[in-house]
């Protein structure tokens, strides 16, 4: 049969759906409909979706979905066809979002860094995902579908610890992120009754992340982390890397003098405390903790989380490109 030179019609898509339902091979379908096999494969990819059965999920082809995508792409004045004609680009974006767990914006930045010639904007990529253009990628794979409406809060009086250095005393060069070496610190806890926690440290300028699994949240345990870091890095390198730390008023952080005490004598870094009920004052660390929670949601028992998993997450965060860093990774920014 002579191969057809037009796009597949709705009736032809319905026939394709019927043929696939009775498990006809692609070569047979191509001959029957008068298209080349690659056209059939492309069409199947366009209309494939996950169909939820009673006990399992089945991959199926929908003529209606394929027709909807085709009509949408035809109304886009050519721009949506860019991703449709660059299969390598589409596959790269899918891999970055599904496997490497990048956001759409970060995936596009990575594609530019890789030298892909096709260029689309973030809103277009979100639109493609909404319309089901990708074979496997859907909205359920996105960390944040849309910005939530902010809840209203009653004003809370911010209280500084009366005897400890307040964040209001922090020098302006730290506030402006003019140099590396200034960190924010917090704990991520497990369910009520569990003991292990994660200590997270976020560098304000480069967004580097350090994550430590601790057996408990005692002040002595946290101090041991810095003792070990100082011992391993050496006095000079440690004091260059850790010039100041900003944290909250949690009881585990309130041993001010002992936490600052260097194993070599003297103070090893400056320590500043946020106001009570003002977690946003160390917002960089809070944002990083939200990223960590995507891997270890609330309720995660850290007893069951291995140090290898923590190390892999730390490496992922330090190799994740950030818009605030002009799409460099924290490791690249620190180099």
């Amino acid at each position: 049969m002579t191969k057809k030179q037009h796009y597949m019609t709705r009736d032809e898509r319905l026939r394709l759906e019927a043929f696939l339902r009775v498990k006809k091979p692609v070569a047979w379908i191509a001959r029957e409909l008068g298209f080349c096999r690659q056209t059939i494969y492309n069409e199947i990819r366009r209309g494939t979706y996950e169909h939820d059965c009673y006990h399992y999920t089945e991959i199926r082809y929908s003529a209606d979905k394929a027709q909807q995508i085709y009509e949408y792409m035809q109304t886009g004045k050519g721009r949506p066809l860019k991703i449709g004609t660059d299969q390598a680009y589409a596959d790269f974006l899918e891999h970055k979002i599904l496997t490497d767990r990048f956001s759409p914006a970060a995936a596009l930045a990575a594609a530019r860094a890789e030298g892909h010639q096709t260029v689309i904007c973030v809103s277009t990529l979100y639109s493609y995902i909404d319309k089901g253009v990708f074979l496997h990628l859907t909205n359920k794979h996105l960390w944040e579908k849309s910005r939530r409406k902010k809840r209203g809060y009653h004003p809370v009086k911010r209280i500084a610890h009366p005897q400890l250095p307040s964040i209001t005393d922090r020098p302006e060069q730290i506030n402006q992120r003019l140099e590396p070496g200034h960190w924010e610190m917090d704990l991520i806890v497990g369910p009520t009754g569990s003991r292990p926690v994660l200590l997270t440290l976020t560098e304000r300028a480069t967004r580097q992340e350090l994550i430590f699994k601790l057996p408990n949240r005692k002040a002595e345990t946290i101090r041991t982390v810095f003792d070990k870091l100082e011992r391993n890095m050496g006095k000079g390198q440690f004091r260059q890397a850790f010039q100041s730390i900003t944290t909250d008023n949690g009881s585990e952080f309130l041993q001010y003098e002992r936490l600052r005490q260097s194993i070599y004598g003297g103070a090893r870094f400056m320590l500043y405390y946020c106001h009570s009920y003002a977690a946003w004052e160390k917002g960089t660390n809070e944002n990083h903790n939200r990223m960590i929670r995507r891997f270890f949601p609330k309720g995660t028992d850290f007893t069951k989380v291995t140090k290898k998993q923590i190390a892999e997450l730390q490496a992922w965060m330090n190799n994740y490109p950030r818009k605030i860093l002009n799409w460099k990774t924290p490791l690249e920014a620190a180099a």
Side-chain angles (χ1 to χ4, degrees):
M1 182 183 292
T2 303
K3 298 295 185 292
K4 297 177 182 178
Q5 300 299 319
H6 63 264
Y7 289 111
M8 195 173 286
T9 65
R10 181 179 180 82
D11 288 341
E12 288 167 335
R13 289 189 173 94
L14 289 170
R15 292 182 65 194
L16 171 59
E17 182 177 352
F19 291 147
L20 291 172
R21 193 164 294 169
V22 296
K23 302 189 183 303
K24 292 291 186 181
V26 169
W28 184 92
I29 295 173
R31 290 194 301 269
E32 186 69 18
L33 295 180
F35 292 96
C36 69
R37 282 182 295 176
Q38 187 58 52
T39 298
I40 301 300
Y41 281 120
N42 291 343
E43 182 60 31
I44 291 173
R45 186 182 186 281
R46 175 182 289 149
T48 296
Y49 71 103
E50 293 182 356
H51 181 81
D52 292 327
C53 301
Y54 184 64
H55 289 298
Y56 61 95
T57 298
E58 185 177 79
I59 303 298
R60 293 185 179 180
Y61 170 82
S62 168
D64 289 336
K65 180 189 177 191
Q67 185 69 22
Q68 179 187 27
I69 293 173
Y70 168 75
E71 292 174 354
Y72 166 73
M73 295 178 75
Q74 290 300 304
T75 62
K77 297 182 180 179
R79 288 190 299 172
L81 293 176
K82 287 182 178 180
I83 198 169
T85 57
D86 191 341
Q87 191 62 49
Y89 185 65
D91 291 343
F92 180 87
L93 295 177
E94 266 199 323
H95 177 82
K96 281 296 175 184
I97 296 173
L98 293 176
T99 305
D100 294 344
R101 303 188 72 168
F102 278 29
S103 70
L108 290 173
R112 291 194 297 270
E114 287 284 327
H116 285 268
Q117 297 302 307
T118 301
V119 177
I120 60 175
C121 66
V122 177
S123 60
T124 298
L125 178 53
Y126 273 105
S127 178
Y128 285 174
I129 297 171
D130 287 337
K131 296 292 184 180
V133 171
F134 293 93
L135 177 59
H136 303 292
L137 177 59
T138 65
N139 268 325
K140 71 180 182 180
H141 298 110
L142 303 182
W143 287 353
E144 296 181 355
K145 277 71 174 179
S146 60
R147 292 190 177 274
R148 297 179 181 177
K149 183 178 180 181
K150 291 184 179 180
R151 294 185 296 173
Y153 290 94
H154 296 294
V156 175
K157 184 178 181 181
R158 295 186 294 133
I159 304 172
H161 195 286
Q163 298 176 339
L164 299 177
S166 168
I167 192 172
T168 56
D169 302 323
R170 196 171 64 181
E172 193 61 23
Q173 76 242 26
I174 301 179
N175 297 336
Q176 296 296 322
R177 306 175 192 264
L178 298 178
E179 60 182 4
H182 304 284
W183 300 74
E184 296 174 0
M185 176 170 65
D186 200 4
L187 288 181
I188 297 180
V189 301
T192 303
S194 66
R195 292 171 60 84
V197 297
L198 300 184
L199 175 69
T200 63
L201 288 159
T202 309
E203 207 286 310
R204 285 173 51 80
T206 65
R207 271 63 176 184
Q208 279 187 282
E209 185 75 7
L210 295 176
I211 311 173
F212 303 92
K213 178 182 175 180
L214 306 182
N216 56 61
R217 59 191 301 174
K218 294 181 180 179
E220 293 81 2
T221 304
I222 293 171
R223 190 174 68 251
T224 301
V225 171
F226 291 103
D227 290 348
K228 185 175 180 180
L229 281 172
E230 191 175 17
R231 186 174 296 108
N232 291 341
M233 297 175 68
K235 179 179 178 180
Q237 185 180 355
F238 178 87
R239 293 192 179 182
Q240 181 65 30
F242 292 88
Q243 299 178 46
S244 77
I245 296 178
T246 301
T247 188
D248 57 34
N249 290 312
S251 59
E252 60 274 6
F253 300 131
L254 293 184
Q255 290 188 0
Y256 173 73
E257 292 294 347
R258 298 188 67 187
L259 189 57
R260 294 179 66 227
Q261 180 66 39
S262 170
I263 60 175
Y264 300 107
R268 55 185 164 196
F269 47 63
M270 294 298 299
L271 196 58
Y272 301 98
Y273 292 87
C274 299
H275 296 88
S276 299
Y277 311 107
W280 53 267
E281 290 182 333
K282 53 181 181 67
T284 303
N285 180 256
E286 290 292 319
N287 286 336
H288 276 221
N289 287 351
R290 287 175 60 233
M291 295 173 71
I292 293 172
R293 280 299 191 189
R294 291 162 181 161
F295 293 83
F296 303 127
K298 286 188 176 181
T300 297
D301 184 354
F302 292 113
T303 304
K304 302 176 182 178
V305 176
T306 66
K307 290 187 176 180
K308 180 181 178 182
Q309 289 175 292
I310 300 298
E312 289 173 348
L313 174 56
Q314 178 178 296
W316 179 88
M317 295 186 71
N318 287 326
N319 286 282
Y320 185 80
R322 313 298 176 89
K323 182 178 181 180
I324 194 70
L325 301 176
N326 293 320
W327 297 114
K328 291 182 179 179
T329 69
L331 287 180
E332 291 170 339

